[in-house]
Amino acid sequence: MAEGLRERKKRRTRQYISDVATGLFLERGFDAVTVAEVADAADVSVNTVYNYFPAKEDLFLDRSAGVVDRMSRWVRGRAVGESAARAVLRELREEVESVSPRVGLMDGYSRFMRVLHDAPTLRSRMWRLSQEVLENIEETLREEVGADPLDPRPTLVAGQINWVHQTVMGEIGRRMMAGGRPDEVSREMLDVLDDIEDLLSDKVLNYAVRGA
């Protein structure tokens, strides 16, 4: 269904507020900026900001919703003969090789990471998001293989797949904060992904292979 005028206006307003807030956070730090200052800079009321963003942290992590189910989408979209872990590794390699900003390979990402590292409430929110990601991928694995509720394997494999994702994202962030260029970090991370795959057991690499 086509997006209506009202929905389009709301989406643009939300994006504008988020962009203004992000600019302020990058310039001054997360804790130094108030919601009232964001509202003033965006020329909207404080209530309007809260209508779109229930918490201040949502202003900075406004795209997190797409991250929570990203690995689950990759697993559900795996090819015939491809396992869950290999699907995630393949998708990550494609993102890294294409120097995708979706995995942090872009100029300015180090500023984003510094704001995140300097704000305890943002770090806490990121930890909660990581737990949501883990729970989401476990639920997806259970659905995909039709696992018994007491079967521990989906939990164990989900933990390994989540480790893969967290390690890649963490290493990209660390290398970008150390002054790495996106194309340079991309080449380095392809080697890291090879090392990660070597460390995974055959049981993990061959779990939830999609049948014909």
Side-chain angles (χ1 to χ4, degrees):
M1 186 172 63
E3 183 181 44
L5 179 61
R6 178 181 173 83
E7 288 73 23
R8 189 182 310 120
K9 183 178 179 181
K10 289 175 66 176
R11 175 174 55 80
R12 288 175 177 172
T13 299
R14 187 184 192 281
Q15 187 61 60
Y16 177 68
I17 294 171
S18 173
D19 290 345
V20 168
T22 299
L24 291 173
F25 296 145
L26 291 176
E27 179 184 350
R28 295 164 49 194
F30 183 77
D31 292 333
V33 178
T34 67
V35 173
E37 288 172 320
V38 171
D40 185 61
D43 197 24
V44 298
S45 70
V46 171
N47 283 342
T48 297
V49 174
Y50 280 121
N51 283 340
Y52 288 98
F53 302 94
K56 181 182 171 184
E57 290 75 20
D58 297 322
L59 285 161
F60 192 70
L61 301 171
D62 64 308
R63 294 174 178 83
S64 61
V67 175
V68 170
D69 67 345
R70 178 165 63 180
M71 282 195 292
S72 288
R73 294 197 306 270
W74 291 347
V75 169
R76 292 192 184 100
R78 69 195 185 283
V80 172
E82 187 174 45
S83 71
R86 291 192 188 279
V88 170
L89 285 164
R90 173 180 53 78
E91 292 280 359
L92 282 171
R93 280 197 181 94
E94 290 175 2
E95 294 278 9
V96 168
E97 192 167 17
S98 65
V99 196
S100 171
R102 287 188 294 269
V103 290
L105 292 171
M106 61 181 178
D107 293 328
Y109 188 64
S110 59
R111 295 174 62 200
F112 175 89
M113 290 301 296
R114 286 191 181 93
V115 172
L116 183 62
H117 277 263
D118 290 344
T121 57
L122 286 176
R123 294 200 305 272
S124 177
R125 174 63 69 87
M126 287 299 293
W127 182 85
R128 292 201 300 273
L129 283 172
S130 71
Q131 294 303 112
E132 289 182 41
V133 171
L134 178 58
E135 292 167 5
N136 196 290
I137 189 66
E138 179 185 346
E139 181 179 349
T140 297
L141 288 174
R142 288 191 178 279
E143 291 174 355
E144 289 292 303
V145 302
D148 183 276
L150 297 180
D151 186 349
R153 287 175 296 178
T155 304
L156 299 173
V157 175
Q160 292 290 294
I161 292 176
N162 192 50
W163 166 77
V164 170
H165 186 264
Q166 285 191 324
T167 298
V168 170
M169 295 304 296
E171 274 297 297
I172 289 174
R174 185 177 68 82
R175 291 165 193 246
M176 292 296 291
M177 287 182 70
R181 300 190 311 272
D183 58 339
E184 175 185 71
V185 174
S186 169
R187 291 191 296 271
E188 294 170 353
M189 290 307 301
L190 288 174
D191 291 335
V192 172
L193 277 161
D194 288 341
D195 290 339
I196 286 173
E197 184 167 358
D198 287 342
L199 289 170
L200 294 174
S201 72
D202 288 341
K203 287 185 177 180
V204 172
L205 289 172
N206 293 307
Y207 186 79
V209 174
R210 168 150 287 163

